[in-house]
Amino acid sequence: EMGRECAERIVSAAERMDTLVNDLLVYSRLGHTNLSLAPVSLQEVVLDTVGQLQQEIRAKGAVIEIADSLPTVRGHALTLTQSLINLVSNGLKFVRPEVTPTIRVWTETSDGWATLFVQDNGIGIAAEHLSRIFRVFERLHGSERYPGTGLGLAIVRKGAERMGGQSGVESTPGQGSRFWIKLPLA
């Protein structure tokens, strides 16, 4: 019994380390790789993201609402997909246990820019922490309660900047968060 518990802890630690190394590689590549910007269909990126997260979405019984028509932006498809995976995953993860995760995805366009919104009904973020959450290894909660590496939102911020855009968040504790990525229309 004790040997099995030790083995389970070792496997769990190895899985966390694998996730951390992968996130570090993604973040590092964003800083050193030339991104070839091209027209990217947000509709395709969002549907691909939801497809990749289907197992987690089903396990949580989550509701994902996607706007009917999302525009094409100038960006980098893989970077956008990774950013959206991080935002949707957070929406699935940072909810109270008794709440069914609901995530809405839509865009607004203005003056040649598209702003992609990902809104959740999670635990929210206090105003005093909003400026910190996009930093590397910045975590507001212990990994025992909400797993993660503390790199997801840093990847979102760095990716948006490398594509010539911006990112941000609006949030109310206990009511959820609305993250956004602003990129030029193609």
Side-chain angles (χ1 to χ4, degrees):
E1 180 67 25
M2 188 167 76
R4 189 172 41 124
E5 287 177 16
C6 287
E8 288 172 359
R9 282 197 304 267
I10 291 169
V11 168
S12 178
E15 288 171 348
R16 286 192 309 273
M17 184 60 71
D18 183 55
T19 301
L20 176 61
V21 168
N22 286 329
D23 283 353
L24 281 169
L25 287 171
V26 169
Y27 187 80
S28 175
R29 279 188 215 120
L30 279 175
H32 296 84
T33 304
N34 285 330
L35 298 182
S36 298
L37 302 183
V40 177
S41 165
L42 288 179
Q43 195 77 37
E44 289 177 17
V45 168
V46 169
L47 293 175
D48 182 41
T49 297
V50 170
Q52 289 186 46
L53 295 173
Q54 201 55 240
Q55 184 177 350
E56 294 164 59
I57 292 167
R58 271 195 224 113
K60 293 274 192 168
V63 176
I64 310 292
E65 300 171 3
I66 303 169
D68 289 335
S69 178
L70 301 175
T72 298
V73 296
R74 184 157 176 74
H76 186 257
L78 291 175
T79 300
L80 266 171
T81 301
Q82 183 64 54
S83 295
L84 280 174
I85 285 172
N86 290 337
L87 294 177
V88 174
S89 292
N90 282 355
L92 295 170
K93 179 174 24 175
F94 290 101
V95 293
R96 292 179 308 282
E98 70 278 4
V99 173
T100 298
T102 301
I103 299 168
R104 290 183 54 230
V105 180
W106 78 97
T107 57
E108 294 176 6
T109 59
S110 176
D111 299 324
W113 291 84
T115 305
L116 176 69
F117 293 96
V118 178
Q119 181 173 323
D120 63 53
N121 64 336
I123 59 174
I125 305 160
E128 64 266 19
H129 300 300
L130 292 177
S131 64
R132 296 178 30 208
I133 63 170
F134 289 98
R135 294 185 203 154
V136 174
F137 297 124
E138 198 66 47
R139 295 184 51 90
L140 301 180
H141 308 282
S143 59
E144 317 78 46
R145 188 168 177 196
Y146 296 106
T149 62
L151 285 165
L153 293 178
I155 290 169
V156 171
R157 169 68 46 93
K158 175 86 107 182
E161 290 171 354
R162 290 294 317 276
M163 291 184 287
Q166 302 171 342
S167 62
V169 63
E170 301 160 6
S171 188
T172 303
Q175 295 181 22
S177 301
R178 182 170 72 167
F179 289 89
W180 54 269
I181 300 172
K182 185 175 184 178
L183 294 170
L185 287 165

